[in-house]
């Protein structure tokens, strides 16, 4: 059974407000439960109760999980550092949640990006111990060949580390390839090709483990993970979500 929590805390979580903003909204008579206005921010309620703010339904979820099709030119960051972070593509309420990125992508890379405020799950999925295969589609300035396939499969010395065996699949003439890696070190795919004398012209992540990029999103599009996708990640990381 989920533990009861204070109304202001759950209102904050359900609508992406700060705790004091939520308390103010409750005191101001803007929040209702079961059709009744509730003005006591300390009132204990179950996280399964549906909260309405200004007549809008909020669904309380302890953690949120978002899939995004990262567009080129955005930083895999949650704050503005040296450019626009991907979170700028999310609505205000979501931006206030402490979202982390599960496996970053370079600024010029596109494709599947996973965001969550479940820090423990993020930590586990990013660890190479959990062996989440990441699949990338790359376009090269030349043609990859059988020798490259072998070099990827053998593991490569990249100076600071040796890669785990990776899979390289050549499409058509060899300028387009699919690469599957287990780790996610900085610029890893680009560095692997560089070592083979090839330059990556574009890189797009298609999947992380069994989680596939939803083609319907389009560049910059996002959606919440489905219950099935969340279950998959929880099982994979060995974490059962407690509400
Ligand atoms: N490998 C790279 O080189 N860049 C990415 O963004 C991801 C993997």
């Amino acid at each position: 059974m989920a533990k009861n929590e204070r109304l202001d805390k759950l209102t904050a979580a359900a609508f992406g407000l700060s705790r004091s903003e939520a308390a103010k909204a409750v005191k101001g008579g803007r929040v209702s439960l079961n059709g009744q206005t509730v003005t006591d921010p300390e009132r204990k309620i179950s996280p399964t109760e549906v909260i309405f703010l200004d007549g809008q339904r909020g669904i309380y979820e302890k953690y949120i999980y978002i899939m995004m099709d990262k567009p080129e030119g955005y930083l895999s960051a949650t704050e503005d550092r040296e450019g626009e972070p991907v979170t700028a593509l999310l609505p205000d309420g979501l931006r206030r949640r402490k979202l982390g990125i599960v496996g970053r992508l370079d600024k010029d890379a596109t494709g599947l990006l996973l965001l969550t405020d479940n820090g423990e799950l993020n930590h586990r999925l990013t660890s190479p111990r959990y062996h989440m295969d990441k699949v990338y589609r790359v376009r090269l300035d030349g043609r990859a060949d059988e020798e490259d396939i072998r070099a990827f499969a053998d593991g490569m010395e990249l100076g600071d580390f040796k890669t785990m065996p990776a899979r390289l699949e050549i499409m058509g003439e060899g300028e387009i390839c699919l690469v599957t890696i287990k780790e996610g070190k900085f610029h890893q795919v680009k560095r692997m090709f560089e070592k083979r004398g090839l330059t990556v012209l574009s890189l797009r992540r298609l999947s992380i483990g069994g989680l596939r990029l939803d083609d319907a999103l389009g560049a910059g599009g996002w959606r919440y993970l489905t219950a099935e996708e969340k279950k998959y990640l929880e099982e994979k990381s060995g974490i059962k979500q407690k509400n």
Side-chain angles (χ1 to χ4, degrees), residues 131-134 148-157 161-168 179-183 188 192:
H131 296 299
M132 295 289 275
D133 281 349
K134 268 89 48 186
D148 297 315
I149 293 179
R150 274 195 293 278
F152 273 58
D154 288 347
M156 264 182 211
E157 227 16 282
F161 80 110
K162 185 171 182 205
T163 61
M164 291 164 101
R167 187 180 153 100
L168 176 62
V179 184
T180 308
I181 58 171
K182 295 199 184 298
E183 319 91 321
Q188 182 169 335
M192 289 170 83

Side-chain angles (χ1 to χ4, degrees), residues 104-106 109 136 187-190 203:
R104 293 162 188 277
L105 283 172
D106 294 338
Y136 298 88
H187 294 331
Q188 182 169 335
V189 174
K190 289 178 185 163
L203 184 144

Side-chain angles (χ1 to χ4, degrees), residues 5-196:
E5 305 255 24
R6 285 172 57 129
L7 177 60
D8 55 356
K9 183 176 173 192
L10 295 186
T11 303
F15 294 94
L17 301 174
S18 70
R19 192 72 168 260
S20 62
E21 285 168 334
K24 213 166 140 192
V26 176
K27 284 186 201 153
R30 294 168 55 202
V31 171
S32 64
L33 296 168
N34 303 315
Q36 302 263 294
T37 302
V38 182
T39 54
D40 177 8
E42 289 180 34
R43 165 132 163 220
K44 291 282 180 77
I45 65 157
S46 159
T48 54
E49 272 194 75
V50 180
I51 304 170
F52 284 81
L53 171 67
D54 297 333
Q56 256 188 35
R57 185 191 165 110
I59 299 172
Y60 170 74
E61 287 205 48
K62 183 157 180 159
Y63 296 119
I64 53 174
Y65 303 88
I66 289 170
M67 166 190 296
M68 181 185 279
D69 185 343
K70 179 194 169 296
E72 209 179 323
Y74 281 79
L75 295 175
S76 288
T78 50
E79 293 156 28
D80 185 349
R81 291 214 182 104
E82 292 127 36
E84 192 101 81
V86 287
T87 43
L89 299 161
L90 298 173
D92 276 354
L94 281 177
R95 247 182 286 158
R96 286 202 204 95
R97 293 189 70 141
K98 292 189 175 57
L99 290 170
I101 293 167
V102 186
R104 293 162 188 277
L105 283 172
D106 294 338
K107 189 174 177 183
D108 60 357
T110 65
L112 177 59
L113 206 58
L114 208 55
L115 298 109
T116 181
D117 50 2
N118 186 341
E120 177 64 17
L121 183 129
N122 186 346
H123 173 73
R124 291 198 187 189
L125 294 180
T126 328
S127 157
R129 263 203 314 138
Y130 286 82
H131 296 299
M132 295 289 275
D133 281 349
K134 268 89 48 186
V135 181
Y136 298 88
R137 190 177 62 222
V138 297
R139 195 162 57 83
L140 303 167
D141 69 338
R143 291 179 181 178
D145 59 23
E146 293 296 319
E147 269 183 55
D148 297 315
I149 293 179
R150 274 195 293 278
F152 273 58
D154 288 347
M156 264 182 211
E157 227 16 282
L158 288 183
D160 50 338
F161 80 110
K162 185 171 182 205
T163 61
M164 291 164 101
R167 187 180 153 100
L168 176 62
E169 289 167 75
I170 295 177
M171 325 278 283
E173 300 294 311
E175 278 150 8
I176 309 279
C177 298
L178 289 183
V179 184
T180 308
I181 58 171
K182 295 199 184 298
E183 319 91 321
K185 297 265 178 19
F186 191 56
H187 294 331
Q188 182 169 335
V189 174
K190 289 178 185 163
R191 287 168 69 196
M192 289 170 83
F193 279 107
E194 206 175 300
K195 177 110 195 204
R196 302 294 310 160

